[in-house]
mmCIF file of all heavy atoms in Angstrom:
data_model
loop_
_atom_site.group_PDB
_atom_site.id
_atom_site.type_symbol
_atom_site.label_atom_id
_atom_site.label_comp_id
_atom_site.label_asym_id
_atom_site.label_seq_id
_atom_site.Cartn_x
_atom_site.Cartn_y
_atom_site.Cartn_z
ATOM 1 N N ARG A 5 13.671 26.814 22.735
ATOM 2 C CA ARG A 5 14.620 27.048 21.647
ATOM 3 C C ARG A 5 15.937 27.565 22.211
ATOM 4 O O ARG A 5 15.954 28.454 23.055
ATOM 5 C CB ARG A 5 14.021 28.066 20.665
ATOM 6 C CG ARG A 5 14.883 28.339 19.455
ATOM 7 C CD ARG A 5 14.080 29.078 18.394
ATOM 8 N NE ARG A 5 13.543 30.335 18.899
ATOM 9 C CZ ARG A 5 14.149 31.514 18.765
ATOM 10 N NH1 ARG A 5 15.318 31.577 18.148
ATOM 11 N NH2 ARG A 5 13.608 32.602 19.229
ATOM 12 N N SER A 13 14.669 25.404 12.170
ATOM 13 C CA SER A 13 15.886 24.811 11.619
ATOM 14 C C SER A 13 15.687 23.332 11.300
ATOM 15 O O SER A 13 16.139 22.845 10.260
ATOM 16 C CB SER A 13 17.057 24.992 12.586
ATOM 17 O OG SER A 13 16.774 24.352 13.832
ATOM 18 N N GLY A 40 21.309 -1.894 -10.057
ATOM 19 C CA GLY A 40 22.677 -2.384 -10.143
ATOM 20 C C GLY A 40 23.630 -1.428 -10.824
ATOM 21 O O GLY A 40 24.846 -1.637 -10.785
ATOM 22 N N GLU A 51 28.592 18.359 -6.793
ATOM 23 C CA GLU A 51 28.703 19.365 -7.853
ATOM 24 C C GLU A 51 27.407 19.481 -8.649
ATOM 25 O O GLU A 51 26.926 20.578 -8.925
ATOM 26 C CB GLU A 51 29.851 19.007 -8.792
ATOM 27 C CG GLU A 51 30.080 20.046 -9.882
ATOM 28 C CD GLU A 51 31.295 19.715 -10.732
ATOM 29 O OE1 GLU A 51 32.058 18.801 -10.356
ATOM 30 O OE2 GLU A 51 31.462 20.362 -11.785
ATOM 31 N N ALA A 66 19.005 7.799 3.521
ATOM 32 C CA ALA A 66 17.538 7.717 3.531
ATOM 33 C C ALA A 66 17.032 6.914 2.340
ATOM 34 O O ALA A 66 16.103 6.106 2.466
ATOM 35 C CB ALA A 66 16.941 9.125 3.507
ATOM 36 N N TYR A 82 25.073 2.282 -5.707
ATOM 37 C CA TYR A 82 24.419 1.698 -6.872
ATOM 38 C C TYR A 82 22.902 1.881 -6.787
ATOM 39 O O TYR A 82 22.348 2.075 -5.701
ATOM 40 C CB TYR A 82 24.742 0.200 -6.972
ATOM 41 C CG TYR A 82 26.217 -0.075 -7.185
ATOM 42 C CD1 TYR A 82 27.120 0.019 -6.118
ATOM 43 C CD2 TYR A 82 26.708 -0.418 -8.440
ATOM 44 C CE1 TYR A 82 28.480 -0.217 -6.311
ATOM 45 C CE2 TYR A 82 28.064 -0.661 -8.630
ATOM 46 C CZ TYR A 82 28.946 -0.560 -7.571
ATOM 47 O OH TYR A 82 30.285 -0.791 -7.758
ATOM 48 N N PRO A 90 10.606 -2.190 2.200
ATOM 49 C CA PRO A 90 10.266 -1.162 3.195
ATOM 50 C C PRO A 90 8.771 -1.126 3.512
ATOM 51 O O PRO A 90 8.384 -0.912 4.664
ATOM 52 C CB PRO A 90 10.713 0.142 2.512
ATOM 53 C CG PRO A 90 11.796 -0.280 1.565
ATOM 54 C CD PRO A 90 11.340 -1.612 1.047
ATOM 55 N N THR A 99 1.120 -3.180 12.094
ATOM 56 C CA THR A 99 0.127 -4.162 12.518
ATOM 57 C C THR A 99 0.433 -4.695 13.910
ATOM 58 O O THR A 99 -0.452 -4.785 14.771
ATOM 59 C CB THR A 99 0.067 -5.326 11.515
ATOM 60 O OG1 THR A 99 -0.154 -4.793 10.196
ATOM 61 C CG2 THR A 99 -1.058 -6.278 11.846
ATOM 62 N N ASP A 104 -2.043 -4.266 20.796
ATOM 63 C CA ASP A 104 -2.474 -4.015 22.166
ATOM 64 C C ASP A 104 -3.862 -3.397 22.214
ATOM 65 O O ASP A 104 -4.579 -3.517 23.199
ATOM 66 C CB ASP A 104 -1.473 -3.083 22.881
ATOM 67 C CG ASP A 104 -0.157 -3.789 23.149
ATOM 68 O OD1 ASP A 104 -0.153 -5.032 23.150
ATOM 69 O OD2 ASP A 104 0.847 -3.095 23.354
ATOM 70 N N LEU A 121 -8.356 -6.791 -3.552
ATOM 71 C CA LEU A 121 -7.516 -6.891 -4.742
ATOM 72 C C LEU A 121 -7.772 -8.190 -5.503
ATOM 73 O O LEU A 121 -7.971 -8.191 -6.726
ATOM 74 C CB LEU A 121 -6.036 -6.798 -4.354
ATOM 75 C CG LEU A 121 -5.502 -5.427 -3.954
ATOM 76 C CD1 LEU A 121 -4.088 -5.550 -3.400
ATOM 77 C CD2 LEU A 121 -5.509 -4.480 -5.157
ATOM 78 N N LEU A 125 -9.405 -8.860 -9.191
ATOM 79 C CA LEU A 125 -8.502 -9.318 -10.248
ATOM 80 C C LEU A 125 -8.898 -10.670 -10.826
ATOM 81 O O LEU A 125 -8.594 -10.963 -11.985
ATOM 82 C CB LEU A 125 -7.070 -9.394 -9.704
ATOM 83 C CG LEU A 125 -6.391 -8.058 -9.423
ATOM 84 C CD1 LEU A 125 -5.106 -8.267 -8.637
ATOM 85 C CD2 LEU A 125 -6.096 -7.317 -10.727
ATOM 86 N N LEU A 141 -1.369 -24.306 -12.137
ATOM 87 C CA LEU A 141 -2.146 -24.068 -10.917
ATOM 88 C C LEU A 141 -2.667 -25.386 -10.343
ATOM 89 O O LEU A 141 -2.626 -25.608 -9.137
ATOM 90 C CB LEU A 141 -3.320 -23.130 -11.218
ATOM 91 C CG LEU A 141 -2.976 -21.652 -11.430
ATOM 92 C CD1 LEU A 141 -4.176 -20.905 -12.009
ATOM 93 C CD2 LEU A 141 -2.540 -21.000 -10.123
ATOM 94 N N GLU A 142 -3.125 -26.253 -11.238
ATOM 95 C CA GLU A 142 -3.657 -27.535 -10.788
ATOM 96 C C GLU A 142 -2.558 -28.389 -10.162
ATOM 97 O O GLU A 142 -2.800 -29.121 -9.195
ATOM 98 C CB GLU A 142 -4.294 -28.270 -11.962
ATOM 99 C CG GLU A 142 -5.127 -29.458 -11.548
ATOM 100 C CD GLU A 142 -6.360 -29.656 -12.418
ATOM 101 O OE1 GLU A 142 -6.503 -28.941 -13.427
ATOM 102 O OE2 GLU A 142 -7.148 -30.534 -12.079
ATOM 103 N N VAL A 145 -2.151 -27.212 -6.671
ATOM 104 C CA VAL A 145 -3.265 -27.678 -5.839
ATOM 105 C C VAL A 145 -3.089 -29.156 -5.484
ATOM 106 O O VAL A 145 -3.366 -29.575 -4.356
ATOM 107 C CB VAL A 145 -4.615 -27.449 -6.550
ATOM 108 C CG1 VAL A 145 -5.752 -28.113 -5.770
ATOM 109 C CG2 VAL A 145 -4.889 -25.956 -6.706
ATOM 110 N N ARG A 153 -3.680 -34.127 3.110
ATOM 111 C CA ARG A 153 -4.045 -35.477 3.550
ATOM 112 C C ARG A 153 -3.203 -35.935 4.736
ATOM 113 O O ARG A 153 -3.643 -36.761 5.539
ATOM 114 C CB ARG A 153 -3.913 -36.461 2.379
ATOM 115 C CG ARG A 153 -5.052 -36.364 1.369
ATOM 116 C CD ARG A 153 -5.031 -37.529 0.398
ATOM 117 N NE ARG A 153 -3.879 -37.494 -0.489
ATOM 118 C CZ ARG A 153 -3.853 -36.853 -1.669
ATOM 119 N NH1 ARG A 153 -4.936 -36.212 -2.088
ATOM 120 N NH2 ARG A 153 -2.771 -36.884 -2.423
ATOM 121 N N SER A 154 -2.003 -35.399 4.820
ATOM 122 C CA SER A 154 -1.145 -35.762 5.952
ATOM 123 C C SER A 154 -1.212 -34.722 7.070
ATOM 124 O O SER A 154 -0.458 -34.786 8.039
ATOM 125 C CB SER A 154 0.309 -35.921 5.480
ATOM 126 O OG SER A 154 0.797 -34.701 4.947
ATOM 127 N N ALA A 171 -0.319 -14.445 -13.085
ATOM 128 C CA ALA A 171 0.766 -14.321 -14.064
ATOM 129 C C ALA A 171 0.238 -13.955 -15.445
ATOM 130 O O ALA A 171 0.886 -13.222 -16.202
ATOM 131 C CB ALA A 171 1.562 -15.617 -14.128
ATOM 132 N N ALA A 183 2.126 -10.403 -2.782
ATOM 133 C CA ALA A 183 3.118 -11.104 -1.962
ATOM 134 C C ALA A 183 3.485 -10.280 -0.727
ATOM 135 O O ALA A 183 3.738 -10.831 0.350
ATOM 136 C CB ALA A 183 4.370 -11.398 -2.784
ATOM 137 N N GLY A 197 1.465 -16.137 17.227
ATOM 138 C CA GLY A 197 1.063 -17.515 17.468
ATOM 139 C C GLY A 197 -0.391 -17.785 17.166
ATOM 140 O O GLY A 197 -1.010 -18.661 17.759
ATOM 141 N N PRO A 202 -8.112 -22.567 8.281
ATOM 142 C CA PRO A 202 -8.950 -23.575 8.945
ATOM 143 C C PRO A 202 -8.288 -24.938 9.104
ATOM 144 O O PRO A 202 -8.041 -25.380 10.206
ATOM 145 C CB PRO A 202 -10.172 -23.643 8.040
ATOM 146 C CG PRO A 202 -10.252 -22.294 7.427
ATOM 147 C CD PRO A 202 -8.841 -21.815 7.290
ATOM 148 N N SER A 203 -8.022 -25.610 8.018
ATOM 149 C CA SER A 203 -7.305 -26.883 8.053
ATOM 150 C C SER A 203 -6.677 -27.064 6.685
ATOM 151 O O SER A 203 -7.188 -26.537 5.695
ATOM 152 C CB SER A 203 -8.255 -28.038 8.367
ATOM 153 O OG SER A 203 -8.991 -28.399 7.205
ATOM 154 N N GLY A 221 -14.518 -21.727 -17.234
ATOM 155 C CA GLY A 221 -14.871 -20.412 -17.757
ATOM 156 C C GLY A 221 -15.973 -19.736 -16.954
ATOM 157 O O GLY A 221 -16.662 -18.843 -17.450
ATOM 158 N N ALA A 229 -15.683 -18.503 -5.364
ATOM 159 C CA ALA A 229 -14.703 -19.394 -4.732
ATOM 160 C C ALA A 229 -13.612 -18.592 -4.023
ATOM 161 O O ALA A 229 -13.160 -18.968 -2.936
ATOM 162 C CB ALA A 229 -14.088 -20.320 -5.776
ATOM 163 N N MET A 230 -13.221 -17.476 -4.622
ATOM 164 C CA MET A 230 -12.217 -16.628 -3.989
ATOM 165 C C MET A 230 -12.777 -16.000 -2.715
ATOM 166 O O MET A 230 -12.082 -15.913 -1.689
ATOM 167 C CB MET A 230 -11.762 -15.529 -4.953
ATOM 168 C CG MET A 230 -10.633 -14.652 -4.417
ATOM 169 S SD MET A 230 -9.077 -15.571 -4.157
ATOM 170 C CE MET A 230 -8.524 -15.730 -5.865
#
Side-chain angles (χ1 to χ4, degrees):
R5 183 166 58 94
S13 60
E51 183 176 350
Y82 297 77
T99 306
D104 290 340
L121 286 171
L125 289 169
L141 286 168
E142 192 144 7
V145 172
R153 284 192 292 271
S154 61
S203 78
M230 184 65 76

